[in-house]
Amino acid sequence: MRDILKKLEALRQVALQGGGEKRIEAHHHKGKLTARERLEVLLDPNSFEEWDMFVEHRCHDFHMENNKIPGDGVVTGYGTIQGRQVFVFSQDFTVFGGSLSETHAEKIAKIMDKALQVGAPVIGLNDSGGARIQEGVESLAGYATIFQRNVLASGVIPQISVIMGPCAGGAVYSPAMTDFIFMVKHSSYMYVTGPDVVKTVTHETVSHEDLGGALTHTQKSGVADLAFENDIEALLEVRRFFEFLPLSNRETPPFKETSDSPDRMDLSLDRLVPMNSSKGYNMKDLLIKVVDEGDFYELQPDFAANIIIGFGRMAGETVGFVANQPLVLAGCLDIDSSRKAARFVRFCDCFSIPLVTFVDVPGFLPGTTQEEDGIIKHGSKLLFAFAEATVPKVTVITRKAYGGAYDVMSSKHLRGDVNFAWPSAEIAVMGARGAVEILFKKDLKNKEKIDAYTQEYGEKFATPFVAASRGYIDDIVLPHTTRMRICRSLKMLKNKIIENPWKKHDNIPL
């Protein structure tokens, strides 16, 4: 027995050392934590239960049989964050560059299978050079086994990817199918083909950072949700973010005690919307003043900034927020903002997170570029997502709600449960001036007549009163009462039950 225990301890020490001291030092020199150090930051102290520490690869080609390290480049298991269970894998770049082998994939698949069975999220810390070339198709098959589990887990358990190093080729598709992607600035990147391949095929010269760095994916492509300065900040922010989420679609998000009264009012909101309807204002001010203790967790703030998405709490309960941003493109909906918000709405609906929508939208962004790139199809994704959602939906129109964009933004006609408007709301087919110029083309040269018609149209239609008279708006509320009215509505809707017709799955306009 003593010999076995000695062998066990020796193997354990080899596994804990990963690729060895030199490679660990090189890793630290780049400002990066090792796979195990990352888990120590992410998880509660002493909560990590590791699986498959002694697993080794089975490759016998290219002299690989003489080069085996216990764990095979990935640390897997489960632990807790703020006492709540989570399954994790952390790729170890010091072992074969974190490359994915058949056994490496099996380890990840094992914890994903168990997470599905017990109903707990999966967080993946990605730091890998890609498929292990020595194993060929077996490595590719390993990726596919992970992809399949990503698909089966979608909408059942939250999946979070943290890109903490390279993530290239087939490796990018697993994070792409997870619910949220976080990156680390200047040390992580994602792309399907690297700079060398790009140069060979297209003759473009591009750096790793420009091709697939954190800023590229948080500002231009929208692939990633947030980018952080370093490993520690990223992991601590994931801990904070995790607190907003339920463990599975069988549970509700955690309740957080707060001293912030649901009846709290904020008189400054009465002055938020400018008197001049063409002047912008910051919708984030409203979000911060409405949520519990001003704690709003925004996602994708630097991509499609004309719409805001994120989580906050109302009376201790997690809520998903979608809001037009008048400071960017006047709050218009375009292709990117529609895709961004639609995916967020669908996530909230998957996991029974109520939706609160703040509306100030003059319409869809016009232009040949938008039409040629498919605004019709992409814009309908957001419409589809709101219409499909069965979670409690509360909508507040703060100012403009024009045309089809009024319908799309969680209107009463898309099964909005409670729809409020501020007195400053303008609900119409289009702005007064534009409407008059269409209706009275023959009088366009008569400025006095056009001005009079514009005023008449505005007084009659560019108000919340017509919509309220038809029951499309449940109440016209004073801005400073917004938090109170939303909290009361969400409390009333807590036990809402509504079901869509049975189907194998829907066919959202992809």
Side-chain angles (χ1 to χ4, degrees):
M1 177 62 76
R2 188 172 297 172
D3 291 340
I4 293 175
L5 292 177
K6 284 184 178 180
K7 184 178 180 180
L8 172 63
E9 185 58 29
L11 283 172
R12 192 182 300 279
Q13 288 304 314
V14 172
L16 291 174
Q17 281 297 304
E21 289 185 9
K22 286 187 178 180
R23 289 178 180 172
I24 290 174
E25 285 178 13
H27 206 64
H28 285 163
H29 187 69
K30 296 176 183 177
K32 298 166 68 175
L33 300 178
T34 66
R36 294 181 184 279
E37 289 169 344
R38 288 166 177 165
L39 290 177
E40 287 177 8
V41 176
L42 177 65
L43 301 175
D44 294 338
N46 302 316
S47 71
F48 181 52
E49 288 284 331
E50 184 172 353
W51 284 359
D52 293 331
M53 175 184 279
F54 306 116
V55 165
E56 298 175 341
H57 68 74
R58 308 183 188 101
C59 182
H60 294 281
D61 296 318
F62 305 102
H63 308 292
M64 286 293 287
E65 69 274 13
N66 300 319
N67 189 11
K68 294 185 177 183
I69 298 175
D72 202 33
V74 63
V75 183
T76 60
Y78 65 94
T80 61
I81 296 177
Q82 301 296 344
R84 303 170 68 230
Q85 187 162 273
V86 61
F87 283 78
V88 292
F89 68 85
S90 182
Q91 292 178 315
D92 189 348
F93 194 79
T94 70
V95 178
F96 306 123
S99 60
L100 186 132
S101 67
E102 179 184 30
T103 52
H104 183 125
E106 287 173 354
K107 289 180 65 174
I108 295 173
K110 180 190 282 190
I111 63 111
M112 293 184 74
D113 285 341
K114 194 56 63 178
L116 265 173
Q117 290 172 9
V118 304
V122 172
I123 298 177
L125 309 183
N126 296 263
D127 191 356
S128 168
R132 192 169 298 172
I133 297 172
Q134 296 93 328
E135 294 199 15
V137 71
E138 291 173 342
S139 176
L140 300 180
Y143 274 126
T145 63
I146 296 171
F147 300 159
Q148 182 64 64
R149 283 158 176 81
N150 288 133
V151 173
L152 295 177
S154 181
V156 181
I157 54 175
Q159 301 178 79
I160 299 172
S161 296
V162 190
I163 314 301
M164 311 194 79
C167 188
V172 300
Y173 293 113
S174 175
M177 288 187 286
T178 61
D179 298 304
F180 303 100
I181 300 175
F182 301 119
M183 297 184 73
V184 180
K185 295 177 184 178
H186 312 302
S187 64
S188 68
Y189 48 86
M190 300 175 70
Y191 40 63
V192 175
T193 53
D196 293 339
V197 176
V198 170
K199 187 172 184 178
T200 300
V201 176
T202 70
H203 307 294
E204 294 176 273
T205 300
V206 62
S207 67
H208 291 281
E209 190 67 30
D210 289 338
L211 183 62
L215 297 183
T216 295
H217 287 311
T218 54
Q219 296 178 1
K220 298 177 182 179
S221 72
V223 167
D225 292 278
L226 288 168
F228 302 106
E229 294 297 330
N230 52 58
D231 283 11
I232 291 178
E233 183 186 7
L235 295 166
L236 292 178
E237 282 296 315
V238 171
R239 282 179 62 87
R240 178 183 163 219
F241 179 70
F242 186 79
E243 292 185 67
F244 287 99
L245 307 181
L247 295 182
S248 74
N249 62 0
R250 303 195 299 264
E251 297 190 15
T252 56
F255 175 83
K256 186 173 183 179
E257 291 286 350
T258 178
S259 59
D260 197 351
S261 170
D263 295 330
R264 171 175 57 80
M265 300 186 188
D266 194 321
L267 293 175
S268 69
L269 293 178
D270 292 339
R271 302 184 299 274
L272 180 66
V273 176
M275 294 294 291
N276 183 348
S277 64
S278 63
K279 188 175 180 181
Y281 61 94
N282 195 342
M283 187 66 84
K284 291 182 187 179
D285 291 341
L286 172 56
L287 289 162
I288 291 170
K289 290 177 180 180
V290 163
V291 298
D292 290 356
E293 301 170 18
D295 185 17
F296 176 63
Y297 200 106
E298 185 178 2
L299 296 165
Q300 295 188 289
D302 300 318
F303 174 73
N306 44 320
I307 206 160
I308 303 166
I309 60 171
F311 294 109
R313 295 183 185 86
M314 302 293 285
E317 306 279 0
T318 296
V319 173
F321 290 89
V322 178
N324 304 115
Q325 174 57 289
L327 290 182
V328 181
L329 296 176
C332 278
L333 290 173
D334 63 354
I335 290 172
D336 288 341
S337 62
S338 297
R339 290 192 298 114
K340 169 182 169 178
R343 181 158 173 79
F344 180 74
V345 167
R346 299 194 94 208
F347 175 85
C348 291
D349 192 48
C350 285
F351 293 99
S352 302
I353 298 172
L355 287 161
V356 172
T357 306
F358 290 112
V359 183
D360 188 347
V361 59
F364 282 90
L365 184 66
T368 55
T369 301
Q370 287 289 303
E371 295 294 351
E372 290 170 359
D373 290 345
I375 182 62
I376 295 172
K377 200 85 163 184
H378 293 293
S380 64
K381 291 175 182 177
L382 183 54
L383 187 160
F384 195 107
F386 271 127
E388 177 191 39
T390 60
V391 293
K393 293 184 285 188
V394 178
T395 302
V396 181
I397 301 172
T398 62
R399 189 167 63 178
K400 297 173 184 177
Y402 288 163
Y406 154 72
D407 285 326
V408 169
M409 292 298 293
S410 197
S411 64
K412 181 66 73 174
H413 325 289
L414 299 184
R415 300 191 301 190
D417 294 299
V418 180
N419 292 66
F420 295 130
W422 284 6
S424 52
E426 303 172 15
I427 305 169
V429 174
M430 60 196 308
R433 175 66 67 172
V436 166
E437 289 177 353
I438 292 173
L439 292 172
F440 301 101
K441 284 184 180 179
K442 65 181 186 297
D443 296 320
L444 284 178
K445 294 181 180 180
N446 190 327
K447 186 177 182 304
E448 290 184 2
K449 275 191 174 182
I450 293 297
D451 287 345
Y453 289 143
T454 299
Q455 184 176 348
E456 181 183 354
Y457 185 94
E459 290 174 353
K460 186 168 185 179
F461 295 108
T463 70
F465 300 113
V466 173
S469 71
R470 298 295 300 270
Y472 302 154
I473 297 297
D474 296 300
D475 198 5
I476 300 170
V477 303
L478 296 175
H480 68 265
T481 67
T482 301
R483 172 178 165 83
M484 178 183 70
R485 300 301 294 271
I486 293 174
C487 286
R488 288 182 180 180
S489 299
L490 292 173
K491 184 177 180 181
M492 176 272 294
L493 293 165
K494 193 172 180 65
N495 295 319
K496 172 189 172 184
I497 296 176
I498 181 174
E499 294 183 358
N500 291 325
W502 184 91
K503 61 186 81 171
K504 185 175 181 180
H505 60 73
D506 55 50
N507 188 22
I508 188 170
L510 295 173

